[in-house]
Every structure is written in C-alpha cells, then in structure tokens.
Amino acid sequence: MNYEELIETRDVRKTNKLRLPYGYFYKRLIDGKYSNFVEFHDELADNISFNSCITKQCEALAQVKNKHQLRFTPNEGDDGVYAVAVELGNYITVEQLLNDSPSVVAKRDFMDSTISDLVAVTTELHQQGIQYLCFAPSNVLVRKTDNSVRLLLHGSFFLPLKSQEEMFEGVEDYVAPEVMSEGTCDDRSDVYSLGKFIDYLYASSGLPFELKHVIQKATAENPADRYASVEDMYSHLKRSRVIRRTGTLAIAALAVALIVVGMFFEMMPNTEPVEFVKPVEEPVVDDLLDDGFNPLTELGPDADSATIARAIQDYMMNDSDKVDDKKMREFEAKAEQIFRKQYTQAADLILSKIYNNERMNNSEKNFKANSEEVMKELVEKQRELASNSSLSSETTQRIASEIIEQLTEKKKAEMEKKSDTNNLGLKKEE
C-alpha cells in the first residue's frame, strides 16, 4: 500500500461502533478530524416517516439548552436522512461503561449524580412536551472524561411510526407497556423507563431494600399506578433513602456506643462486689416513648445495656422522623470517640511488639520484617473495629492513620529517652 492509499484508508476509517436501539454510534476521521455520527439501521432510514421524525426532533431540540442534551444535525442522502452528526466529545453508552469499569458504581456520588442529572434534564424536556421513553443502558450516553450523562434522540418523536418494535428492538424491557402496545405515552412513561434504568444501575450491588417499593411503584404496568412525574419519583427515592439511613445509622451508633461503654467499665478494676441484674424481658411500654423521652437517662440506673439498647431501638423505629441532623452528628461523634479509644488501646499493644529494647536492637532486615507483620495486624484490627461500628471505612482509616502516627512518634521518643540517643539503635547488616 502506497502513501496515498494509506491516507485514503485512514480518512474513511471507522472506529469501534456502539449499538444504539436505532443505529450505530461511532467516530469517523474526516479531513484529519474526528466527528461523531449515528448511522441509522436500514429499515429505519428507508422509512419516510422516520425521516420526518428526525427533522422535527432536530428543530424542537434546538431550543433545549440543557448540557445533558446532545446537539445533532441530520445528514441527508439521495433517499433521505441516513445519519445524524453529533456534537464533539468522547461518548460511550452506560452499558459499555459498566462493562469496562463495573467498579464505577462504587465511586462517590456516581449513582446520585447520574440519577439526579437524568431527572433534571427529563423534567425540562417534559415541560416542552418531549419524552425520552427509553432509558436503556444502551441508549443513555456518558462523557468519558467525567461520566456525565447525555441524552440524544427522544422516543416521543417516533410515535407516528406504525410499529415501535423497530425503534426499540432489543430494549423493550426498558420501554413502558403502553408505548409498545398502543404507541401512546405521557410523562409517566418516562417514570417507568427511568425506574428500570435505576434498577439496572443497582444490579451489581443489589437494589437497597428501602428503594424497592419506589421502583415497584415507578414500574407498575398501569400508568395510573405510577408516580405522576420523574420529580415525584426522585423525591420519594431520596426520602426513602434518607429515612432508612438515618434510622439504621442512629440505632447502630447507639447500640455500638452502649456495648463499648459497657466493655470499658467492665475492664476497669472494681473493689466492690457487683450485683448482676437479670435483663428485663418485658417490652418497653408505649408511654415511655412520649416526646422528650431519652432512653439513656430515663430508664433508671438499674437497667442493663440490653434493656437500654432495646428501648433505643423501639424509640428510633417508632419515631425515626424525629431524628435531626444535630442528633445524628452527636451519634457519629460518639461512635468516633469510642472507635478512637478502642483502636488506640489495640494499636498501642500491637506497636509495642516492635518498639521495645529487644526488637529495636535487631538488624534492619528483621526490624523491617517485623514492621510489615505489625502493619498487617494494625490494618486487620482497624477493619475489625470498623465492621462493628457505624462509621465509614474512609473515616476509620483516617482515624487509624492518625493514631498510628501519634503512637509511633511517642514510642520512638520514649526509646530515644531510654537509650540517650537520637537514633533507633539499629544494627546495620554486614
């Protein structure tokens, strides 16, 4: 192949294609620049009605200024519109993103930003009488630089087509029943499709229990049984998640606090005999749960930790709506305080294994080997304590790092003071 043929081949080259319900999305190198195209399936491109739908959609979407709506221009051939040229950018489908990088769902704010952005742009489109209709993972695009979602062609413009099966082949499960069977739609059709999309996002980790009833309502077969709008669905989604998280975190934080505090006092020396009281078997009566009730102070000094924990659980489950942000911060602060005490005590014992006269006089090689073992033990202890607390792994890792650094400096200073030297007393390998 000569140089001219190489250039010609390069100019008509097509990169990997992404299959959308209505065509293929790909980049094409033209005159030294890459351009985005969607080339429609032949059976659609040959349809005169489809050509008209594309033209009307292009005119209508020119008025939409939301950044999550991609701009495009129809490309016409001898037989009509065969493709659309899409605005510049690197885009892939959500389906490809999760196939290539499934861990992205665990990134902070990915779920929230994806769902909230889709709700925002869909709400704006609904105000103009436009419905997307198919939030299939192969029909929602994301920008590769930041995974920000983008929408392209909207299904409500294709309702004049005689059959919706050609338009949504392979993604029928993400399209509301009334669209597929009757060729009709309204805003609740997008509620159905977006609900299916959210369920897909949680497929790898499992849909949280508190969100299941929201998705079930959103994806009801009968449009009248769904939420009236995507905003309404999103509002219930957030409310369910917050209430569940608030109640669970509060109960867990208080329960752990009571258990650890009890263990702390049990470890303290006690010269007086302790009278053990059998835990109360009867449930806490309703009149104890009146407004202003504080289970930590009003159950009496004789109540054991099991009774207190059960009373707090009943209180939180029956009155979870009373838990405010201030109270949650108090619970989290208490949980962090207890974790610090526990980990400091454990880390001090573990670090003492290497910061002592016998170990410090070992060779550098042995000291490093022992240090690695100790570090593994410190990490395991942090994970163990974290699993029994209501704190996030990021929080416990940060606290553990601070404590290890403080204890290490303290022990090094103590060793230097004992040996009257500024070094660690390590013997160099010969």
mmCIF file of all heavy atoms in Angstrom, residues 380-428:
data_model
loop_
_atom_site.group_PDB
_atom_site.id
_atom_site.type_symbol
_atom_site.label_atom_id
_atom_site.label_comp_id
_atom_site.label_asym_id
_atom_site.label_seq_id
_atom_site.Cartn_x
_atom_site.Cartn_y
_atom_site.Cartn_z
ATOM 1 N N GLU A 380 -5.768 -5.108 60.060
ATOM 2 C CA GLU A 380 -6.823 -6.063 60.383
ATOM 3 C C GLU A 380 -7.647 -5.593 61.574
ATOM 4 O O GLU A 380 -8.868 -5.743 61.596
ATOM 5 C CB GLU A 380 -6.205 -7.432 60.676
ATOM 6 C CG GLU A 380 -5.612 -8.114 59.442
ATOM 7 C CD GLU A 380 -4.930 -9.429 59.787
ATOM 8 O OE1 GLU A 380 -4.894 -9.776 60.984
ATOM 9 O OE2 GLU A 380 -4.421 -10.087 58.858
ATOM 10 N N LYS A 381 -6.961 -5.030 62.581
ATOM 11 C CA LYS A 381 -7.685 -4.527 63.746
ATOM 12 C C LYS A 381 -8.572 -3.345 63.381
ATOM 13 O O LYS A 381 -9.711 -3.234 63.873
ATOM 14 C CB LYS A 381 -6.676 -4.121 64.837
ATOM 15 C CG LYS A 381 -7.329 -3.518 66.092
ATOM 16 C CD LYS A 381 -8.319 -4.474 66.743
ATOM 17 C CE LYS A 381 -7.654 -5.720 67.280
ATOM 18 N NZ LYS A 381 -8.604 -6.572 68.039
ATOM 19 N N GLN A 382 -8.086 -2.474 62.489
ATOM 20 C CA GLN A 382 -8.915 -1.338 62.051
ATOM 21 C C GLN A 382 -10.165 -1.826 61.328
ATOM 22 O O GLN A 382 -11.272 -1.333 61.564
ATOM 23 C CB GLN A 382 -8.087 -0.437 61.135
ATOM 24 C CG GLN A 382 -8.858 0.730 60.528
ATOM 25 C CD GLN A 382 -9.297 0.442 59.102
ATOM 26 O OE1 GLN A 382 -8.548 -0.122 58.323
ATOM 27 N NE2 GLN A 382 -10.509 0.829 58.761
ATOM 28 N N ARG A 383 -10.006 -2.815 60.454
ATOM 29 C CA ARG A 383 -11.158 -3.362 59.724
ATOM 30 C C ARG A 383 -12.131 -4.047 60.662
ATOM 31 O O ARG A 383 -13.348 -3.956 60.505
ATOM 32 C CB ARG A 383 -10.680 -4.327 58.647
ATOM 33 C CG ARG A 383 -9.941 -3.649 57.493
ATOM 34 C CD ARG A 383 -9.371 -4.666 56.532
ATOM 35 N NE ARG A 383 -8.716 -4.012 55.400
ATOM 36 C CZ ARG A 383 -7.971 -4.659 54.492
ATOM 37 N NH1 ARG A 383 -7.807 -5.968 54.602
ATOM 38 N NH2 ARG A 383 -7.412 -3.994 53.499
ATOM 39 N N GLU A 384 -11.571 -4.773 61.653
ATOM 40 C CA GLU A 384 -12.430 -5.484 62.609
ATOM 41 C C GLU A 384 -13.286 -4.499 63.407
ATOM 42 O O GLU A 384 -14.508 -4.682 63.535
ATOM 43 C CB GLU A 384 -11.558 -6.310 63.551
ATOM 44 C CG GLU A 384 -12.342 -6.983 64.679
ATOM 45 C CD GLU A 384 -11.428 -7.604 65.709
ATOM 46 O OE1 GLU A 384 -10.242 -7.867 65.388
ATOM 47 O OE2 GLU A 384 -11.879 -7.817 66.846
ATOM 48 N N LEU A 385 -12.652 -3.460 63.925
ATOM 49 C CA LEU A 385 -13.395 -2.471 64.706
ATOM 50 C C LEU A 385 -14.355 -1.683 63.830
ATOM 51 O O LEU A 385 -15.451 -1.323 64.255
ATOM 52 C CB LEU A 385 -12.418 -1.526 65.422
ATOM 53 C CG LEU A 385 -11.525 -2.181 66.480
ATOM 54 C CD1 LEU A 385 -10.561 -1.155 67.053
ATOM 55 C CD2 LEU A 385 -12.368 -2.789 67.601
ATOM 56 N N ALA A 386 -13.941 -1.405 62.585
ATOM 57 C CA ALA A 386 -14.800 -0.644 61.677
ATOM 58 C C ALA A 386 -16.066 -1.415 61.337
ATOM 59 O O ALA A 386 -17.149 -0.847 61.212
ATOM 60 C CB ALA A 386 -14.038 -0.294 60.396
ATOM 61 N N SER A 387 -15.931 -2.743 61.182
ATOM 62 C CA SER A 387 -17.095 -3.554 60.821
ATOM 63 C C SER A 387 -18.142 -3.579 61.924
ATOM 64 O O SER A 387 -19.320 -3.842 61.672
ATOM 65 C CB SER A 387 -16.650 -4.989 60.504
ATOM 66 O OG SER A 387 -16.133 -5.620 61.668
ATOM 67 N N ASN A 388 -17.713 -3.296 63.159
ATOM 68 C CA ASN A 388 -18.646 -3.292 64.280
ATOM 69 C C ASN A 388 -19.128 -1.897 64.637
ATOM 70 O O ASN A 388 -19.814 -1.701 65.639
ATOM 71 C CB ASN A 388 -17.975 -3.912 65.512
ATOM 72 C CG ASN A 388 -17.650 -5.370 65.311
ATOM 73 O OD1 ASN A 388 -18.404 -6.091 64.664
ATOM 74 N ND2 ASN A 388 -16.526 -5.823 65.838
ATOM 75 N N SER A 389 -18.734 -0.912 63.831
ATOM 76 C CA SER A 389 -19.151 0.466 64.099
ATOM 77 C C SER A 389 -20.029 0.967 62.972
ATOM 78 O O SER A 389 -20.180 0.320 61.948
ATOM 79 C CB SER A 389 -17.918 1.377 64.231
ATOM 80 O OG SER A 389 -17.337 1.614 62.968
ATOM 81 N N SER A 390 -20.604 2.128 63.180
ATOM 82 C CA SER A 390 -21.456 2.741 62.152
ATOM 83 C C SER A 390 -20.670 3.703 61.280
ATOM 84 O O SER A 390 -21.246 4.393 60.449
ATOM 85 C CB SER A 390 -22.611 3.493 62.824
ATOM 86 O OG SER A 390 -22.090 4.517 63.664
ATOM 87 N N LEU A 391 -19.347 3.759 61.476
ATOM 88 C CA LEU A 391 -18.512 4.703 60.729
ATOM 89 C C LEU A 391 -18.133 4.117 59.371
ATOM 90 O O LEU A 391 -18.035 2.898 59.209
ATOM 91 C CB LEU A 391 -17.246 5.032 61.525
ATOM 92 C CG LEU A 391 -17.458 5.642 62.921
ATOM 93 C CD1 LEU A 391 -16.125 5.751 63.652
ATOM 94 C CD2 LEU A 391 -18.109 7.012 62.810
ATOM 95 N N SER A 392 -17.873 4.995 58.406
ATOM 96 C CA SER A 392 -17.453 4.552 57.080
ATOM 97 C C SER A 392 -16.006 4.094 57.133
ATOM 98 O O SER A 392 -15.241 4.457 58.036
ATOM 99 C CB SER A 392 -17.587 5.704 56.075
ATOM 100 O OG SER A 392 -16.684 6.741 56.390
ATOM 101 N N SER A 393 -15.602 3.268 56.163
ATOM 102 C CA SER A 393 -14.228 2.782 56.113
ATOM 103 C C SER A 393 -13.234 3.925 55.935
ATOM 104 O O SER A 393 -12.129 3.889 56.476
ATOM 105 C CB SER A 393 -14.070 1.765 54.979
ATOM 106 O OG SER A 393 -14.400 2.360 53.733
ATOM 107 N N GLU A 394 -13.643 4.964 55.157
ATOM 108 C CA GLU A 394 -12.755 6.115 54.969
ATOM 109 C C GLU A 394 -12.486 6.815 56.296
ATOM 110 O O GLU A 394 -11.358 7.211 56.591
ATOM 111 C CB GLU A 394 -13.373 7.102 53.978
ATOM 112 C CG GLU A 394 -13.452 6.619 52.546
ATOM 113 C CD GLU A 394 -14.632 5.708 52.320
ATOM 114 O OE1 GLU A 394 -15.429 5.513 53.272
ATOM 115 O OE2 GLU A 394 -14.785 5.203 51.191
ATOM 116 N N THR A 395 -13.521 6.960 57.123
ATOM 117 C CA THR A 395 -13.371 7.629 58.415
ATOM 118 C C THR A 395 -12.474 6.826 59.340
ATOM 119 O O THR A 395 -11.562 7.362 59.980
ATOM 120 C CB THR A 395 -14.740 7.845 59.066
ATOM 121 O OG1 THR A 395 -15.548 8.668 58.217
ATOM 122 C CG2 THR A 395 -14.595 8.525 60.418
ATOM 123 N N THR A 396 -12.714 5.517 59.441
ATOM 124 C CA THR A 396 -11.906 4.693 60.340
ATOM 125 C C THR A 396 -10.456 4.606 59.871
ATOM 126 O O THR A 396 -9.538 4.557 60.693
ATOM 127 C CB THR A 396 -12.504 3.283 60.459
ATOM 128 O OG1 THR A 396 -12.612 2.692 59.158
ATOM 129 C CG2 THR A 396 -13.893 3.339 61.089
ATOM 130 N N GLN A 397 -10.230 4.589 58.552
ATOM 131 C CA GLN A 397 -8.858 4.565 58.043
ATOM 132 C C GLN A 397 -8.129 5.850 58.400
ATOM 133 O O GLN A 397 -6.962 5.822 58.793
ATOM 134 C CB GLN A 397 -8.869 4.369 56.529
ATOM 135 C CG GLN A 397 -9.273 2.968 56.092
ATOM 136 C CD GLN A 397 -9.459 2.855 54.592
ATOM 137 O OE1 GLN A 397 -9.166 3.789 53.858
ATOM 138 N NE2 GLN A 397 -9.958 1.721 54.126
ATOM 139 N N ARG A 398 -8.835 6.975 58.272
ATOM 140 C CA ARG A 398 -8.218 8.264 58.628
ATOM 141 C C ARG A 398 -7.863 8.305 60.110
ATOM 142 O O ARG A 398 -6.754 8.707 60.494
ATOM 143 C CB ARG A 398 -9.172 9.398 58.278
ATOM 144 C CG ARG A 398 -8.700 10.765 58.755
ATOM 145 C CD ARG A 398 -9.689 11.859 58.385
ATOM 146 N NE ARG A 398 -11.015 11.594 58.898
ATOM 147 C CZ ARG A 398 -11.378 11.835 60.174
ATOM 148 N NH1 ARG A 398 -10.481 12.296 61.042
ATOM 149 N NH2 ARG A 398 -12.610 11.598 60.564
ATOM 150 N N ILE A 399 -8.788 7.890 60.959
ATOM 151 C CA ILE A 399 -8.547 7.912 62.401
ATOM 152 C C ILE A 399 -7.410 6.963 62.757
ATOM 153 O O ILE A 399 -6.522 7.304 63.555
ATOM 154 C CB ILE A 399 -9.827 7.523 63.159
ATOM 155 C CG1 ILE A 399 -10.925 8.566 62.919
ATOM 156 C CG2 ILE A 399 -9.554 7.388 64.650
ATOM 157 C CD1 ILE A 399 -12.274 8.183 63.498
ATOM 158 N N ALA A 400 -7.417 5.764 62.164
ATOM 159 C CA ALA A 400 -6.372 4.783 62.450
ATOM 160 C C ALA A 400 -4.993 5.325 62.072
ATOM 161 O O ALA A 400 -4.022 5.154 62.812
ATOM 162 C CB ALA A 400 -6.660 3.477 61.712
ATOM 163 N N SER A 401 -4.905 5.986 60.920
ATOM 164 C CA SER A 401 -3.619 6.552 60.484
ATOM 165 C C SER A 401 -3.115 7.601 61.470
ATOM 166 O O SER A 401 -1.926 7.650 61.797
ATOM 167 C CB SER A 401 -3.774 7.171 59.095
ATOM 168 O OG SER A 401 -4.127 6.196 58.142
ATOM 169 N N GLU A 402 -4.028 8.449 61.948
ATOM 170 C CA GLU A 402 -3.652 9.476 62.916
ATOM 171 C C GLU A 402 -3.130 8.848 64.207
ATOM 172 O O GLU A 402 -2.104 9.264 64.759
ATOM 173 C CB GLU A 402 -4.853 10.368 63.221
ATOM 174 C CG GLU A 402 -5.322 11.201 62.029
ATOM 175 C CD GLU A 402 -6.609 11.945 62.338
ATOM 176 O OE1 GLU A 402 -7.132 11.790 63.463
ATOM 177 O OE2 GLU A 402 -7.093 12.688 61.455
ATOM 178 N N ILE A 403 -3.836 7.824 64.682
ATOM 179 C CA ILE A 403 -3.447 7.182 65.942
ATOM 180 C C ILE A 403 -2.104 6.469 65.798
ATOM 181 O O ILE A 403 -1.239 6.564 66.683
ATOM 182 C CB ILE A 403 -4.547 6.194 66.379
ATOM 183 C CG1 ILE A 403 -5.813 6.967 66.763
ATOM 184 C CG2 ILE A 403 -4.076 5.331 67.536
ATOM 185 C CD1 ILE A 403 -7.000 6.097 67.049
ATOM 186 N N ILE A 404 -1.901 5.757 64.695
ATOM 187 C CA ILE A 404 -0.636 5.051 64.476
ATOM 188 C C ILE A 404 0.526 6.030 64.443
ATOM 189 O O ILE A 404 1.586 5.799 65.035
ATOM 190 C CB ILE A 404 -0.699 4.234 63.165
ATOM 191 C CG1 ILE A 404 -1.702 3.083 63.301
ATOM 192 C CG2 ILE A 404 0.679 3.700 62.793
ATOM 193 C CD1 ILE A 404 -1.956 2.343 62.010
ATOM 194 N N GLU A 405 0.333 7.145 63.748
ATOM 195 C CA GLU A 405 1.405 8.151 63.663
ATOM 196 C C GLU A 405 1.725 8.719 65.042
ATOM 197 O O GLU A 405 2.896 8.866 65.418
ATOM 198 C CB GLU A 405 0.979 9.261 62.714
ATOM 199 C CG GLU A 405 2.051 10.317 62.504
ATOM 200 C CD GLU A 405 1.637 11.385 61.502
ATOM 201 O OE1 GLU A 405 0.528 11.255 60.934
ATOM 202 O OE2 GLU A 405 2.410 12.341 61.307
ATOM 203 N N GLN A 406 0.686 9.026 65.811
ATOM 204 C CA GLN A 406 0.892 9.587 67.148
ATOM 205 C C GLN A 406 1.595 8.593 68.065
ATOM 206 O O GLN A 406 2.548 8.950 68.777
ATOM 207 C CB GLN A 406 -0.454 10.008 67.749
ATOM 208 C CG GLN A 406 -1.111 11.169 67.025
ATOM 209 C CD GLN A 406 -2.544 11.387 67.471
ATOM 210 O OE1 GLN A 406 -3.067 10.679 68.333
ATOM 211 N NE2 GLN A 406 -3.186 12.382 66.884
ATOM 212 N N LEU A 407 1.134 7.338 68.053
ATOM 213 C CA LEU A 407 1.736 6.329 68.924
ATOM 214 C C LEU A 407 3.176 6.016 68.517
ATOM 215 O O LEU A 407 4.043 5.812 69.374
ATOM 216 C CB LEU A 407 0.895 5.053 68.893
ATOM 217 C CG LEU A 407 -0.472 5.123 69.591
ATOM 218 C CD1 LEU A 407 -1.235 3.820 69.380
ATOM 219 C CD2 LEU A 407 -0.297 5.386 71.083
ATOM 220 N N THR A 408 3.421 5.985 67.206
ATOM 221 C CA THR A 408 4.782 5.700 66.731
ATOM 222 C C THR A 408 5.762 6.768 67.201
ATOM 223 O O THR A 408 6.858 6.468 67.697
ATOM 224 C CB THR A 408 4.789 5.610 65.199
ATOM 225 O OG1 THR A 408 3.915 4.563 64.782
ATOM 226 C CG2 THR A 408 6.189 5.318 64.684
ATOM 227 N N GLU A 409 5.371 8.034 67.029
ATOM 228 C CA GLU A 409 6.241 9.127 67.477
ATOM 229 C C GLU A 409 6.450 9.082 68.986
ATOM 230 O O GLU A 409 7.554 9.328 69.487
ATOM 231 C CB GLU A 409 5.629 10.465 67.073
ATOM 232 C CG GLU A 409 5.598 10.712 65.568
ATOM 233 C CD GLU A 409 6.996 10.666 64.966
ATOM 234 O OE1 GLU A 409 7.939 11.193 65.600
ATOM 235 O OE2 GLU A 409 7.153 10.100 63.877
ATOM 236 N N LYS A 410 5.405 8.739 69.706
ATOM 237 C CA LYS A 410 5.504 8.661 71.163
ATOM 238 C C LYS A 410 6.461 7.567 71.589
ATOM 239 O O LYS A 410 7.330 7.767 72.455
ATOM 240 C CB LYS A 410 4.115 8.406 71.747
ATOM 241 C CG LYS A 410 4.110 8.244 73.262
ATOM 242 C CD LYS A 410 2.706 7.930 73.763
ATOM 243 C CE LYS A 410 2.711 7.680 75.270
ATOM 244 N NZ LYS A 410 1.364 7.325 75.784
ATOM 245 N N LYS A 411 6.345 6.397 70.977
ATOM 246 C CA LYS A 411 7.197 5.268 71.351
ATOM 247 C C LYS A 411 8.645 5.492 70.924
ATOM 248 O O LYS A 411 9.579 5.099 71.629
ATOM 249 C CB LYS A 411 6.640 3.981 70.736
ATOM 250 C CG LYS A 411 5.330 3.534 71.382
ATOM 251 C CD LYS A 411 4.866 2.193 70.849
ATOM 252 C CE LYS A 411 3.581 1.763 71.563
ATOM 253 N NZ LYS A 411 3.838 1.509 73.003
ATOM 254 N N LYS A 412 8.835 6.119 69.771
ATOM 255 C CA LYS A 412 10.205 6.429 69.350
ATOM 256 C C LYS A 412 10.863 7.397 70.324
ATOM 257 O O LYS A 412 12.034 7.249 70.677
ATOM 258 C CB LYS A 412 10.182 7.018 67.933
ATOM 259 C CG LYS A 412 9.900 5.985 66.853
ATOM 260 C CD LYS A 412 9.576 6.638 65.518
ATOM 261 C CE LYS A 412 10.713 7.496 65.019
ATOM 262 N NZ LYS A 412 10.401 8.075 63.687
ATOM 263 N N ALA A 413 10.081 8.384 70.766
ATOM 264 C CA ALA A 413 10.618 9.354 71.724
ATOM 265 C C ALA A 413 10.976 8.669 73.039
ATOM 266 O O ALA A 413 12.001 8.981 73.663
ATOM 267 C CB ALA A 413 9.589 10.460 71.963
ATOM 268 N N GLU A 414 10.135 7.741 73.462
ATOM 269 C CA GLU A 414 10.411 7.025 74.717
ATOM 270 C C GLU A 414 11.665 6.177 74.593
ATOM 271 O O GLU A 414 12.482 6.113 75.525
ATOM 272 C CB GLU A 414 9.219 6.153 75.082
ATOM 273 C CG GLU A 414 7.986 6.948 75.498
ATOM 274 C CD GLU A 414 6.779 6.060 75.725
ATOM 275 O OE1 GLU A 414 6.874 4.848 75.409
ATOM 276 O OE2 GLU A 414 5.753 6.559 76.229
ATOM 277 N N MET A 415 11.851 5.525 73.447
ATOM 278 C CA MET A 415 13.034 4.697 73.243
ATOM 279 C C MET A 415 14.302 5.540 73.209
ATOM 280 O O MET A 415 15.339 5.161 73.752
ATOM 281 C CB MET A 415 12.892 3.911 71.943
ATOM 282 C CG MET A 415 11.790 2.849 71.953
ATOM 283 S SD MET A 415 12.079 1.551 73.162
ATOM 284 C CE MET A 415 13.621 0.866 72.562
ATOM 285 N N GLU A 416 14.206 6.684 72.558
ATOM 286 C CA GLU A 416 15.372 7.577 72.479
ATOM 287 C C GLU A 416 15.741 8.101 73.858
ATOM 288 O O GLU A 416 16.914 8.251 74.194
ATOM 289 C CB GLU A 416 15.060 8.736 71.535
ATOM 290 C CG GLU A 416 14.978 8.312 70.071
ATOM 291 C CD GLU A 416 14.553 9.457 69.174
ATOM 292 O OE1 GLU A 416 14.259 10.541 69.717
ATOM 293 O OE2 GLU A 416 14.510 9.269 67.950
ATOM 294 N N LYS A 417 14.728 8.372 74.656
ATOM 295 C CA LYS A 417 14.986 8.880 76.009
ATOM 296 C C LYS A 417 15.687 7.835 76.861
ATOM 297 O O LYS A 417 16.600 8.131 77.639
ATOM 298 C CB LYS A 417 13.673 9.299 76.653
ATOM 299 C CG LYS A 417 13.831 9.927 78.022
ATOM 300 C CD LYS A 417 12.490 10.381 78.559
ATOM 301 C CE LYS A 417 12.652 11.027 79.939
ATOM 302 N NZ LYS A 417 11.350 11.477 80.496
ATOM 303 N N LYS A 418 15.275 6.562 76.701
ATOM 304 C CA LYS A 418 15.871 5.491 77.486
ATOM 305 C C LYS A 418 17.310 5.222 77.081
ATOM 306 O O LYS A 418 18.158 4.911 77.894
ATOM 307 C CB LYS A 418 15.056 4.212 77.328
ATOM 308 C CG LYS A 418 13.689 4.273 78.031
ATOM 309 C CD LYS A 418 12.959 2.958 77.843
ATOM 310 C CE LYS A 418 11.594 3.018 78.533
ATOM 311 N NZ LYS A 418 10.834 1.738 78.339
ATOM 312 N N SER A 419 17.582 5.326 75.811
ATOM 313 C CA SER A 419 18.921 4.989 75.313
ATOM 314 C C SER A 419 19.834 6.205 75.201
ATOM 315 O O SER A 419 20.987 6.089 74.818
ATOM 316 C CB SER A 419 18.824 4.319 73.948
ATOM 317 O OG SER A 419 18.197 5.195 73.022
ATOM 318 N N ASP A 420 19.246 7.420 75.515
ATOM 319 C CA ASP A 420 20.022 8.673 75.419
ATOM 320 C C ASP A 420 20.675 8.826 74.055
ATOM 321 O O ASP A 420 21.839 9.212 73.918
ATOM 322 C CB ASP A 420 21.111 8.716 76.493
ATOM 323 C CG ASP A 420 20.516 8.823 77.885
ATOM 324 O OD1 ASP A 420 19.440 9.471 78.005
ATOM 325 O OD2 ASP A 420 21.091 8.263 78.822
ATOM 326 N N THR A 421 19.932 8.495 73.030
ATOM 327 C CA THR A 421 20.446 8.653 71.672
ATOM 328 C C THR A 421 19.337 9.135 70.776
ATOM 329 O O THR A 421 18.163 8.958 71.086
ATOM 330 C CB THR A 421 20.999 7.329 71.136
ATOM 331 O OG1 THR A 421 21.484 7.533 69.810
ATOM 332 C CG2 THR A 421 19.927 6.251 71.108
ATOM 333 N N ASN A 422 19.692 9.728 69.638
ATOM 334 C CA ASN A 422 18.703 10.253 68.690
ATOM 335 C C ASN A 422 18.418 9.294 67.549
ATOM 336 O O ASN A 422 17.728 9.626 66.627
ATOM 337 C CB ASN A 422 19.189 11.584 68.103
ATOM 338 C CG ASN A 422 19.179 12.670 69.147
ATOM 339 O OD1 ASN A 422 18.326 12.666 70.042
ATOM 340 N ND2 ASN A 422 20.125 13.578 69.060
ATOM 341 N N ASN A 423 19.044 8.073 67.594
ATOM 342 C CA ASN A 423 18.743 7.135 66.532
ATOM 343 C C ASN A 423 17.980 5.956 67.107
ATOM 344 O O ASN A 423 17.802 5.855 68.322
ATOM 345 C CB ASN A 423 20.015 6.677 65.832
ATOM 346 C CG ASN A 423 20.993 6.026 66.802
ATOM 347 O OD1 ASN A 423 20.680 5.005 67.369
ATOM 348 N ND2 ASN A 423 22.162 6.650 66.990
ATOM 349 N N LEU A 424 17.549 5.062 66.263
ATOM 350 C CA LEU A 424 16.740 3.929 66.681
ATOM 351 C C LEU A 424 17.584 2.754 67.150
ATOM 352 O O LEU A 424 17.044 1.717 67.516
ATOM 353 C CB LEU A 424 15.824 3.473 65.526
ATOM 354 C CG LEU A 424 14.783 4.489 65.085
ATOM 355 C CD1 LEU A 424 13.965 3.898 63.939
ATOM 356 C CD2 LEU A 424 13.859 4.853 66.237
ATOM 357 N N GLY A 425 18.877 2.857 67.147
ATOM 358 C CA GLY A 425 19.736 1.793 67.649
ATOM 359 C C GLY A 425 19.766 0.565 66.774
ATOM 360 O O GLY A 425 20.011 -0.534 67.251
ATOM 361 N N LEU A 426 19.510 0.710 65.498
ATOM 362 C CA LEU A 426 19.500 -0.444 64.598
ATOM 363 C C LEU A 426 20.909 -0.837 64.209
ATOM 364 O O LEU A 426 21.761 0.028 63.950
ATOM 365 C CB LEU A 426 18.677 -0.130 63.338
ATOM 366 C CG LEU A 426 17.191 0.134 63.559
ATOM 367 C CD1 LEU A 426 16.571 0.521 62.216
ATOM 368 C CD2 LEU A 426 16.510 -1.082 64.135
ATOM 369 N N LYS A 427 21.148 -2.138 64.183
ATOM 370 C CA LYS A 427 22.441 -2.616 63.735
ATOM 371 C C LYS A 427 22.416 -2.842 62.229
ATOM 372 O O LYS A 427 21.537 -3.508 61.736
ATOM 373 C CB LYS A 427 22.780 -3.942 64.432
ATOM 374 C CG LYS A 427 22.945 -3.794 65.955
ATOM 375 C CD LYS A 427 23.245 -5.142 66.570
ATOM 376 C CE LYS A 427 23.423 -4.999 68.083
ATOM 377 N NZ LYS A 427 23.689 -6.322 68.720
ATOM 378 N N LYS A 428 23.341 -2.295 61.550
ATOM 379 C CA LYS A 428 23.415 -2.441 60.101
ATOM 380 C C LYS A 428 23.848 -3.855 59.736
ATOM 381 O O LYS A 428 24.660 -4.481 60.427
ATOM 382 C CB LYS A 428 24.399 -1.452 59.468
ATOM 383 C CG LYS A 428 23.987 -0.001 59.661
ATOM 384 C CD LYS A 428 22.775 0.311 58.835
ATOM 385 C CE LYS A 428 22.411 1.788 58.958
ATOM 386 N NZ LYS A 428 21.228 2.112 58.144
#
